[in-house]
C-alpha cells in the first residue's frame, strides 16, 4: 500500500501507479522463479522442495525490501496538543478505529465497499489460479509426459507460474500505459489550460475527450475480470486457462491503482493543513524545534494534531477523533483483508461438496490413468463465484460518484 504521508501528498495517484509498476516487476520476478526447477538449480541447500525454496527466496526479498524502505523513508512524528492523549493505548486505538469505521465519510465508505466486493473475487484468483491452470493441464490434457511425471505437484506449480508470468507482464505494461489513456481525477482540477501546437490541437482535444475517467476504468475492469472468471468452470485446455489468467492482468493493474488513488485524494481533502474536519480537529505542520512552533515554515518531520474544545467531551458523537491517513488506510486494509475470510469460507464449502477427497492428480497413486476427467473443477467454481462478486464490485464502484 502506498504511503501517502511520506510522499508528495498533492499527487497520490502518481505515487500509486509508480508503486504498481514496482509491484508488477516484483510479481514478474517471483512468478518467473516459480517456473524454474529450483531444486535442480540450488540442490537442497534452500530446502528439499520447490515450495520451500520459493518461500526462502521470498522471505529474503521481503527482508531486503522492507530494510531499504525503513532506511530510506523518513517518518513524520505526530504530536498532539491534547494532554489526555498520553492515556491512549491499544484498546483506545481499536475503539477509535471501530468508531471511525462506523462513521466513515460517504465517499470513503463507498470506496471501501467497492474494495470489499472486488477482493472476494481476487483472493481465490490469487490463491488458486496457478493450481487451477496446472490442474487443468493434468486433468483434461493428460499427455504422456504428465502421466510419467514423478513430481506432479511441482509440475502443476511450474505450469501455473508460467501463466502468472504472462499475467505480470500485462500488469506491468498496464501500469505504464493506463496512466496515459485514463483521465486522472486531478485533470479536472488543473489550474491551467493546455495549449498544444495548432496542428495537433484538434487531435489532442479529441483524444482527451475520449479518455475514460479513472472511476469508469475501474468499473470496466471489474466487468472484464467477471467476464473472464465466469468462463473458468468451462475451461478444458491449458491454452484457454492461460488466456483467461493473462486477461486478468488488466483488471489487476487497476485494482492496485484506483482504490488507493481515490483514497489518497479523499484523505488529502479531509486532512488538508489548517482545515477544520467534520469532528472539529485540524492538522497543521510545525517546525522541528520548540522555539519555531509559531513559524509559518512547514516541517517535513513533525505533524501536529490540534483538537477543538468540543473534542474534549468524551460523550461527543463526532465521527472520529483522528481522521488521519493512517486510520483511513488501515480501514481500507480491513476491507481488503476481510474478503480473504469470506473467500476461504466459500472455497471450503465448494471443495467439501465437489472434491471431498484428495485431488487424484495430487494423491500420488501409481499411474495417472485414473485422473478425474469429468465433473466440475472445484477451483473453477470458486473463480466463478468470484466473478459474481466482481459484478457487485462494479455496481458499488459506479455508485462512488453519487456518494457525495
Amino acid at each position: 500500500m502506498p504511503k501517502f504521508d511520506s510522499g508528495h501528498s498533492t499527487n497520490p495517484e502518481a505515487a500509486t501507479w509508480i508503486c504498481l509498476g514496482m509491484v508488477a516487476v516484483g510479481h514478474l520476478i517471483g512468478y518467473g522463479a516459480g517456473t524454474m526447477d529450483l531444486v535442480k538449480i540450488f540442490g537442497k541447500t534452500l530446502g528439499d522442495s520447490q515450495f520451500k525454496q520459493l518461500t526462502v527466496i521470498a522471505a529474503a526479498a521481503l527482508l531486503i525490501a522492507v530494510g531499504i524502505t525503513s532506511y530510506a523513508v523518513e517518518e513524520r512524528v505526530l504530536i498532539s496538543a491534547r494532554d489526555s492523549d498520553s492515556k491512549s493505548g491499544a484498546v483506545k486505538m481499536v475503539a477509535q478505529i471501530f468508531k471511525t469505521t462506523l462513521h466513515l465519510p460517504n465517499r470513503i465508505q463507498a470506496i471501501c465497499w467497492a474494495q470489499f466486493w472486488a477482493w472476494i473475487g481476487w483472493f481465490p484468483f490469487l490463491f488458486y489460479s496457478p493450481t487451477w491452470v496446472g490442474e487443468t493441464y493434468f486433468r483434461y490434457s493428460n499427455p504422456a509426459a504428465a502421466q510419467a511425471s514423478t513430481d506432479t505437484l511441482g509440475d502443476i506449480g511450474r505450469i501455473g507460474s508460467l501463466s502468472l508470468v504472462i499475467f505480470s507482464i500485462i500488469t506491468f505494461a498496464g501500469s505504464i500505459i493506463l496512466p496515459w489513456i485514463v483521465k486522472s481525477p486531478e485533470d479536472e482540477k488543473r489550474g491551467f489550460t493546455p495549449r498544444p501546437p495548432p496542428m495537433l490541437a484538434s487531435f489532442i482535444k479529441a483524444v482527451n475527450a475520449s479518455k475514460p475517467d479513472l472511476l469508469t476504468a475501474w468499473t470496466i475492469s471489474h466487468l472484464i475480470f467477471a467476464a473472464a472468471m465466469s468462463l473458468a468452470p468451462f475451461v478444458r485446455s491449458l491454452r484457454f486457462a492461460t488466456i483467461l489468467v493473462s486477461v486478468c492482468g488488466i483488471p489487476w493493474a487497476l485494482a492496485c491503482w484506483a482504490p488507493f488513488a481515490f483514497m489518497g485524494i479523499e484523505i488529502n481533502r479531509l486532512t488538508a493543513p489548517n482545515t477544520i474536519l467534520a469532528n472539529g480537529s485540524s492538522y497543521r505542520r510545525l517546525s522541528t524545534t520548540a522555539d519555531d512552533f509559531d513559524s509559518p515554515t512547514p516541517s517535513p518531520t513533525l505533524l501536529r494534531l490540534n483538537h477543538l474544545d468540543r473534542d474534549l467531551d468524551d460523550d461527543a458523537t463526532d465521527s472520529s477523533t483522528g481522521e488521519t491517513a493512517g486510520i483511513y488506510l488501515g480501514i481500507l486494509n480491513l476491507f481488503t483483508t476481510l474478503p480473504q475470510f469470506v473467500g476461504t469460507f466459500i472455497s471450503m464449502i465448494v471443495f467439501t461438496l465437489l472434491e471431498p477427497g484428495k485431488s487424484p492428480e495430487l494423491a500420488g497413486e501409481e499411474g495417472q490413468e485414473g485422473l478425474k476427467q469429468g465433473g466440475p473443477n472445484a477451483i473453477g467454481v470458486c473463480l466463478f463465484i468470484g466473478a459474481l462478486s466482481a459484478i457487485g464490485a462494479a455496481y458499488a464502484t459506479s455508485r462512488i460518484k453519487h456518494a457525495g
Side-chain angles (χ1 to χ4, degrees):
M1 182 180 292
K3 220 178 167 303
F4 298 112
D5 59 340
S6 296
H8 199 300
S9 62
T10 60
N11 199 355
E13 186 186 356
T16 304
W17 68 259
I18 291 174
C19 178
L20 166 62
M22 298 175 69
V23 169
V25 172
H27 284 174
L28 187 59
I29 295 172
Y31 295 140
T35 64
M36 299 183 290
D37 192 340
L38 298 179
V39 178
K40 281 187 178 180
I41 296 174
F42 297 109
K44 296 186 177 180
T45 305
L46 302 179
D48 57 3
S49 69
Q50 177 89 356
F51 181 75
K52 290 180 181 179
Q53 297 203 6
L54 277 174
T55 301
V56 172
I57 294 172
L62 182 63
L63 287 174
I64 293 172
V66 172
I68 293 174
T69 302
S70 301
Y71 173 78
V73 175
E74 183 178 357
E75 295 280 357
R76 290 182 295 168
V77 180
L78 178 65
I79 301 178
S80 177
R82 191 171 63 186
D83 294 335
S84 62
D85 280 355
S86 61
K87 303 176 184 178
S88 63
V91 175
K92 182 176 179 181
M93 177 58 68
V94 171
Q96 179 179 341
I97 293 175
F98 180 75
K99 184 178 179 182
T100 305
T101 303
L102 295 179
H103 301 88
L104 288 172
N106 291 337
R107 286 182 64 87
I108 290 182
Q109 185 180 67
I111 294 169
C112 288
W113 278 113
Q115 184 81 333
F116 177 84
W117 290 109
W119 277 83
I120 292 179
W122 278 114
F123 269 117
F125 175 86
L126 296 174
F127 287 163
Y128 303 130
S129 60
T131 303
W132 172 65
V133 172
E135 190 177 286
T136 298
Y137 174 70
F138 277 87
R139 178 173 291 194
Y140 301 112
S141 298
N142 199 20
Q147 298 181 34
S149 174
T150 57
D151 183 17
T152 306
L153 182 59
D155 288 341
I156 286 177
R158 283 186 282 273
I159 292 171
S161 294
L162 180 60
S163 68
L164 289 178
V165 169
I166 303 173
F167 166 86
S168 298
I169 292 174
I170 293 176
T171 300
F172 178 68
S175 68
I176 297 174
I177 297 173
L178 286 174
W180 295 96
I181 63 176
V182 175
K183 188 183 301 181
S184 167
E186 298 296 327
D187 288 347
E188 301 173 359
K189 305 175 183 179
R190 291 190 299 185
F192 69 95
T193 302
R195 292 181 174 84
M199 295 178 58
L200 301 176
S202 58
F203 173 75
I204 293 177
K205 184 177 180 180
V207 170
N208 289 334
S210 63
K211 282 184 178 181
D213 57 46
L214 183 57
L215 190 62
T216 301
W218 190 19
T219 303
I220 294 174
S221 74
H222 294 313
L223 297 177
I224 293 174
F225 178 76
M229 291 298 99
S230 64
L231 299 175
F234 311 105
V235 172
R236 295 294 183 271
S237 71
L238 173 63
R239 179 177 298 179
F240 191 24
T242 302
I243 290 174
L244 291 183
V245 171
S246 302
V247 166
C248 292
I250 299 173
W252 177 244
L254 282 156
C256 294
W257 170 27
F260 304 109
F262 283 118
M263 183 64 75
I265 291 170
E266 292 303 311
I267 288 172
N268 284 341
R269 190 161 61 91
L270 290 170
T271 61
N274 297 320
T275 298
I276 303 298
L277 305 178
N279 68 330
S281 299
S282 67
Y283 281 94
R284 65 184 179 92
R285 292 188 181 91
L286 298 180
S287 62
T288 55
T289 62
D291 294 335
D292 296 331
F293 270 9
D294 294 329
S295 171
T297 303
S299 166
T301 58
L302 289 182
L303 188 65
R304 188 174 183 85
L305 174 63
N306 295 301
H307 296 272
L308 300 184
D309 291 340
R310 69 189 186 98
D311 195 47
L312 296 174
D313 184 6
D314 292 336
D315 297 327
T317 58
D318 295 328
S319 63
S320 78
T321 59
E323 290 172 311
T324 65
I327 291 179
Y328 283 131
L329 290 176
I331 292 173
L332 180 64
N333 192 44
L334 286 177
F335 277 83
T336 306
T337 305
L338 289 177
Q340 178 177 349
F341 298 98
V342 177
T344 301
F345 180 73
I346 294 173
S347 300
M348 178 188 68
I349 295 175
V350 172
F351 289 133
T352 300
L353 294 176
L354 298 181
E355 296 184 6
K358 289 184 177 180
S359 296
E361 56 269 45
L362 305 182
E365 299 99 344
E366 290 187 13
Q368 297 288 337
E369 293 83 358
L371 286 176
K372 182 180 178 182
Q373 298 293 324
N377 185 317
I379 297 179
V381 174
C382 292
L383 296 176
F384 178 81
I385 295 174
L388 299 179
S389 181
I391 295 174
Y395 175 76
T397 302
S398 67
R399 301 297 300 172
I400 292 177
K401 61 182 177 182
H402 305 297

